[in-house]
Amino acid sequence: MQDDQNKTTHFGFQEIPTDKKVDAVAQVFHSVAAKYDIMNDLMSGGIHRLWKRHTISQSGVRAGQTVLDIAGGTGDLTLKFARLVGNEGQVILADINDSMLKVGRDKLANQGVVGNVKCVQANAEELPFPDNTFDCITIAFGLRNVTDKSKALASMHRVLKPGGRLLVLEFSKPESEHLSKLYDHYSFRLLPAMGKLIANDSESYRYLAESIRMHPDQDTLKDMMDEVGFERTSYQNMTGGIVALHKGFKF
Ligand SMILES: C[S@@+](CC[C@H](N)C(=O)[O-])C[C@H]1O[C@@H](n2cnc3c(N)ncnc32)[C@H](O)[C@@H]1O
């Protein structure tokens, strides 16, 4: 057993002191914030838009509801939720990183979405909201960056209303060996090269690929959601398991 001072965790493939991970992740997202949206389109060939559209369609969010988009970054999901909940509802775009939030806030303003969205700087592990606040919580491509994932899931469970649902959209484990090999080639060779070429930052994109490999697979994440109290948990693979959408309810 390690004492608290000597605890380590992974940062991509590196093992670092647990209390240094937040800063290391922050550095990545400060660095990529300005080019984040364009890189997302390039890296995924635009497919991230389909994954996000599917997430929205599975959310069941209706007019008048209250939604938390945690690790919401540049606000892709927030933008869509803001239109769904309308003037009677509210969306909180929350992220630990002020550079990502600033890009998100500007994007929302440019799209004319202001009245029903609030931006909050917050850590997913310690959500600064009262118990039973939200009808729906989403975390898209964010959970793998969080140091203590179970703590974050428990915090999300606490702030969900009874009857509310959590959707976790995240990279996961490809279903076939063949796809897995192709994907490895893409993410460890092409991705850092694209990061270097477009954002002059191969290291952040290497972290991205490594953090995906270190993230719990589909069944492990489902078990983690069960353990903190989510019910009727399930997941759907997309694009052969490269991405999975996990869903769980609080009753
Ligand atoms: C890959 S981006 C995803 C942004 C957005 N959800 C999307 O799908 O495009 C990951 C985001 O997670 C945020 N993040 C990392 N650790 C976090 C934490 N502990 N709490 C809240 N946000 C966090 C980062 O700042 C970053 O904006």
Side-chain angles (χ1 to χ4, degrees), residues 51 141 169-172 218 236-239 241-245:
W51 297 331
F141 305 111
L169 178 65
E170 190 51 272
F171 292 107
S172 205
Q218 287 85 337
Q236 291 173 277
N237 284 334
M238 290 186 261
T239 320
I242 286 179
V243 161
L245 178 65

Side-chain angles (χ1 to χ4, degrees), residues 152-202:
L153 290 169
S155 185
M156 292 177 218
H157 188 269
R158 179 183 67 74
V159 302
L160 260 186
K161 285 181 190 168
R165 69 229 89 117
L166 167 69
L167 296 163
V168 182
L169 178 65
E170 190 51 272
F171 292 107
S172 205
K173 193 162 186 283
E175 290 163 299
S176 86
E177 263 310 294
H178 183 61
L179 181 60
S180 202
K181 284 206 177 103
L182 269 176
Y183 184 45
D184 272 355
H185 180 78
Y186 170 76
S187 34
F188 289 112
R189 294 190 184 274
L190 293 181
L191 207 69
M194 280 165 81
K196 173 89 188 136
L197 193 72
I198 294 145
N200 194 25
D201 181 2
S202 54

Side-chain angles (χ1 to χ4, degrees), residues 22 25-26 29-30 36-37 40 48 52 69-77 94-98 100-101 122-125 127 139-147 152 169 171 208:
V22 166
V25 170
F29 287 102
H30 284 310
Y36 179 82
D37 282 347
N40 254 0
H48 76 105
K52 287 172 178 163
D69 181 19
I70 178 69
T74 61
D76 280 354
L77 290 183
D95 199 285
I96 200 168
N97 189 294
D98 55 344
M100 292 292 282
L101 270 182
N123 185 342
E125 291 175 24
L127 291 168
I139 178 162
F141 305 111
L143 191 62
R144 73 174 187 282
N145 301 295
V146 172
T147 311
L169 178 65
F171 292 107
L208 177 72

Side-chain angles (χ1 to χ4, degrees), residues 222-234:
K222 181 180 177 304
D223 288 347
M224 288 166 72
M225 291 171 67
D226 290 337
E227 269 162 30
V228 300
F230 283 100
E231 294 182 49
R232 282 172 46 196
T233 53
S234 61

